[in-house]
Amino acid sequence: MDLNVWLAFLAACWVIAVSPGSGAVLAMTHGLAYGVRGAGATILGLEAGVAVILLVAGAGVGALLLASATAFTVVKVTGAAYLIWLGWRQWVAPVTAGEAPARASTPAGAGATQGRGSGVWPPARQRFMLGFLTNVTNPKGIVFMVAVLPQFIDPQRSLWWQLPLMLVTAVAVDLVVMHGYAWLASRAQRWLASARARRAQNRVFGGVLMAMGASLFMVRRAAA
């Protein structure tokens, strides 16, 4: 991959990462609920999902999903149902007055464990899986990667050294951006200290996740 091609791909990665999506919403939700440090496991899960999508698209399986109506529909329905479920859990997450804002909200908090300070956090493994499933079941990500990656891959050169470079680039950029979203959200904790404000936060982010899940039903595969 030539330097100018890599720079163009790097710019594309920044545009993709900064664009609002379900991953950004989840990073902000957990940044508000657990702070940047607590959102770290969630963000690592998001990046694992990005890596899987990029490798799937780069290896050609993504094109197969777009060509197969059944496979694409399974991925689409699974991703939509998961985001709607995640949004509903966020919507109905219990809020108790007097909890520290960084520990107050526990979206999908079954199996929560004691964290530092007051309140509880879901286990790191659970937060990781929430992030991973949010990205890996998103058909929009597959569609986008299948459409974008071929523009930067040189067919005259080995795919197996181009893909790792693109993978590291995409994950590194997204890692920075998602931590940025979590940090910005965590800064708002002082304005969301009351139970009423945290409940409103849960409703807003839960509603956005459910709306994004519902929007996935409208995604159509490319014509064969």
Side-chain angles (χ1 to χ4, degrees):
M1 179 180 289
D2 295 332
L3 178 60
N4 62 325
V5 175
W6 179 79
L7 290 175
F9 179 71
L10 177 65
C13 287
W14 279 103
V15 172
I16 296 168
V18 173
S19 301
S22 54
V25 172
L26 188 62
M28 288 188 289
T29 299
H30 283 199
L32 270 170
Y34 317 123
V36 178
R37 186 174 183 179
T42 308
I43 294 171
L44 288 178
L46 289 171
E47 302 321 312
V50 169
V52 168
I53 288 177
L54 189 146
L55 291 175
V56 164
V61 181
L64 177 62
L65 287 175
L66 294 183
S68 168
T70 301
F72 186 81
T73 298
V74 169
V75 172
K76 178 174 71 173
V77 172
T78 301
Y82 177 72
L83 283 181
I84 291 172
W85 173 81
L86 186 61
W88 174 249
R89 293 299 300 270
Q90 177 73 23
W91 183 282
V92 301
V95 173
T96 304
E99 290 180 348
R103 314 292 195 268
S105 174
T106 54
T113 59
Q114 188 71 29
R116 294 183 181 181
S118 61
V120 293
W121 290 358
R125 181 173 61 181
Q126 182 178 337
R127 282 176 274 143
F128 177 90
M129 288 306 300
L130 283 173
F132 176 74
L133 291 174
T134 295
N135 268 351
V136 84
T137 61
N138 186 349
K140 287 184 178 179
I142 296 173
V143 171
F144 197 86
M145 285 296 183
V146 170
V148 169
L149 285 185
Q151 311 304 317
F152 300 97
I153 292 177
D154 185 348
Q156 304 302 319
R157 299 182 180 181
S158 172
L159 178 66
W160 301 112
W161 75 263
Q162 293 182 78
L163 271 183
L165 177 61
M166 298 172 82
L167 174 62
V168 170
T169 302
V171 169
V173 169
D174 201 63
L175 191 65
V176 172
V177 172
M178 291 303 109
H179 272 96
Y181 276 129
W183 181 84
L184 288 173
S186 70
R187 296 303 91 189
Q189 287 177 356
R190 69 181 66 181
W191 294 287
L192 296 171
S194 70
R196 181 177 181 180
R198 294 198 301 273
R199 187 175 297 108
Q201 166 215 319
N202 286 346
R203 299 291 169 81
V204 169
F205 283 109
V208 170
L209 284 170
M210 286 189 284
M212 287 182 172
S215 73
L216 293 188
F217 287 112
M218 306 303 293
V219 177
R220 296 290 182 268
R221 69 189 181 96

